[in-house]
Amino acid sequence: MRRGLGIALVIGGVAAAAVSGAHALTPPIAGAVASPVPVPAPFPAGSRVRVLAGYSPSGGSGLHADTDACCKANDHYALDLVYDDQPNAGLGLPIVAPFAGEVVRAGWATSGWANYGLRVILRHDLGDGHLYHTLHAHLNAIDPAVVEGGNVAAGQVLGELGQSCQGALSCGSFSTPHLHWAMHRDSTVGGSGTGGSFGGNAVVPEPMSGYEDLVQGLIMEIGEAMCGDGVCSGGEDSGSCPQDCPSCGTIPPEGRTIEETDLCFAQSGSPQYWYDANVGSAGACLWTHAVDAAQADDSGRWDFVFEQAGSALVEAYIEPGFAGSMQAKYVVTHAAGVSDVVIDQASASGWTELGTFDFDQGGGQSVRLDDNTGEPFSDMRVLAFDAIRVSPLGGGPGTTSGDDATSGGGLDESGGDPSAADGTLGDGTVGDGIGSDDGITSDGGLSGIFPGAGGSDSEGCACRSAPAGSTGRWWWLLSVAFLRRRRRR
């Protein structure tokens, strides 16, 4: 049913909803958590949406289970959603991002996750100190603008509602096209094949567009976004609704320093792998351990919004004697493309030049640093994330001296793809998912289980699976203290 979200005041014709704390109106069971903010439905405004399968194994899908399992998709509060008033349940109609976020997976799910079909996984910072992932599975197509490592705005089209699974756009495990959607807190994205979201906690996604008690058969009328509700959605942006969609400041002609505490800095990854230190350009910085995995666990991105086009010197602050990574790869996105600049943080001291680059006016440009530097985790090398300083030099694109559009302060690489991950998690006890007759994979791990072809639509989709799985000179003792908190590789 739909209920009020709190006290609403109307002043001068503008409605303001009282929003505070976690917003789940269905009490989470043990191991699950409430959403810290209201959740917009992943459908465009004006849509009429029906819940094909709701919460828990008894809510329409036996696979909507688990709340805080270490090595599974915690999908107890997952939903199977369809367009209620459209032919074929809305096959081919748009699915949108509920929140702004980073695209961590976009494409076919494989191996233990293959029954998700075409899927998009987004990562969100909702302001409560945790990281959230939303899963959009069984898509018929993914919008070309949605690419891994990129960003999406709230309400941006991700793709089309579909029926995909197991590498095909038409799946025998269920007959009704639908969106399988779930929200997880502090989960890890990885495991077997192209990976999925596992571990962490299941999230009760309420109120969803004003609705609670999201049971099988519920109809949701998706209305327009309301400025002031605390959620950046439905086409809102920093210009039309700054209170819901705060933005980072611009870089003026005189330049700017972006600290890791700034709105222009986006931290992503597994919270248990991030640490704070009381050293840095402003007396603090973030750090994690460098690893040699194919996929990054933790990343930091400093976003640039230039008031004017032109060339600018970009520098990174590295506390002397603190970091230990010798292969920190800063990825600079600028007017001419993308440049990789590798810095030896272990020997760097203070402001370290990344290079001079041409930048366009506006946003869409950044510096990114990932933890998968290629250095073994066993080396326990500290990778530091601190301030980035941008100093415009004047002029427009193409004014940089020299033959190239960039002049890097480190090694400018044209990096290749790293080797594929081995698909294991932790000590390798989690197998590679679907496919074993007895539920145990060939390497001794657990496999995902799903109904075969011809399963009843009343049970929703069959899509849940289990995943497979020298520091700074004075900081190494602290690094060792956290060894057991980090995933072994």
Side-chain angles (χ1 to χ4, degrees), residues 265-268 274 298-302 367-371 385:
F265 177 78
Q267 170 191 352
S268 61
W274 282 104
D298 297 300
S299 301
R301 190 186 69 253
W302 298 260
V367 169
R368 181 187 177 100
L369 179 61
D370 295 339
D371 67 350
F385 297 74

Side-chain angles (χ1 to χ4, degrees), residues 86-428:
Q86 299 295 327
N88 207 10
L91 177 67
L93 294 181
I95 298 300
V96 305
F99 308 106
E102 178 187 1
V103 182
V104 292
R105 292 291 187 275
W108 286 99
T110 62
S111 191
W113 308 99
N115 228 44
Y116 283 144
L118 273 177
R119 52 77 176 103
V120 172
I121 302 176
L122 303 179
R123 180 175 291 148
H124 314 280
D125 179 354
L126 300 181
D128 65 343
H130 295 277
L131 290 172
Y132 293 83
H133 290 109
T134 54
L135 166 68
H136 313 74
H138 304 318
L139 300 178
N140 188 61
I142 295 176
D143 190 275
V146 178
V147 295
E148 292 185 10
N151 296 298
V152 295
Q156 180 176 334
V157 173
L158 301 177
E160 302 173 358
L161 185 143
Q163 192 183 356
S164 63
C165 80
Q166 297 289 334
L169 290 178
S170 181
C171 182
S173 295
F174 53 90
S175 58
T176 300
H178 64 271
L179 172 71
H180 174 84
W181 189 91
M183 185 173 176
H184 304 141
R185 188 182 81 176
D186 295 340
S187 60
T188 298
V189 176
S192 65
T194 52
S197 172
F198 63 92
N201 305 94
V203 178
V204 181
E206 295 183 11
M208 177 175 279
S209 293
Y211 291 85
E212 59 175 288
D213 301 334
L214 305 183
V215 298
Q216 187 177 33
L218 176 72
I219 304 296
M220 296 186 287
E221 300 279 356
I222 311 303
E224 298 293 335
M226 183 178 72
C227 186
D229 64 2
V231 180
C232 186
S233 63
E236 293 175 334
D237 57 30
S238 58
S240 64
C241 187
Q243 59 265 54
D244 288 351
C245 308
S247 65
C248 70
T250 59
I251 298 174
E254 58 268 26
R256 185 179 171 204
T257 297
I258 302 174
E259 296 286 347
E260 78 284 355
T261 55
D262 196 285
L263 280 174
C264 289
F265 177 78
Q267 170 191 352
S268 61
S270 302
Q272 65 266 33
Y273 304 153
W274 282 104
Y275 312 106
D276 299 302
N278 294 323
V279 297
S281 74
C285 72
L286 294 170
W287 67 275
T288 189
H289 288 111
V291 297
D292 59 354
Q295 301 279 350
D297 282 330
D298 297 300
S299 301
R301 190 186 69 253
W302 298 260
D303 291 323
F304 299 162
V305 182
F306 284 87
E307 293 182 6
Q308 298 178 2
S311 300
L313 171 66
V314 181
E315 302 166 280
Y317 187 85
I318 301 168
E319 181 71 18
F322 175 74
S325 173
M326 301 172 69
Q327 300 172 192
K329 185 170 72 172
Y330 292 83
V331 180
V332 184
T333 300
H334 48 85
V338 177
S339 297
D340 296 343
V341 183
V342 177
I343 297 294
D344 181 355
Q345 287 192 346
S347 62
S349 180
W351 289 109
T352 302
E353 181 177 337
L354 300 184
T356 299
F357 306 89
D358 289 337
F359 293 98
D360 291 325
Q361 183 181 23
Q365 298 157 116
S366 63
V367 169
R368 181 187 177 100
L369 179 61
D370 295 339
D371 67 350
N372 58 334
T373 65
E375 297 162 297
F377 171 65
S378 58
D379 287 353
M380 300 298 290
R381 295 186 180 273
V382 168
L383 182 68
F385 297 74
D386 205 336
I388 294 290
R389 185 165 67 187
V390 182
S391 304
L393 304 178
T399 62
T400 304
S401 61
D403 295 332
D404 297 326
T406 65
S407 176
L411 175 61
D412 193 356
E413 296 185 336
S414 59
D417 293 333
S419 58
D422 60 7
T424 61
L425 165 69
D427 58 5

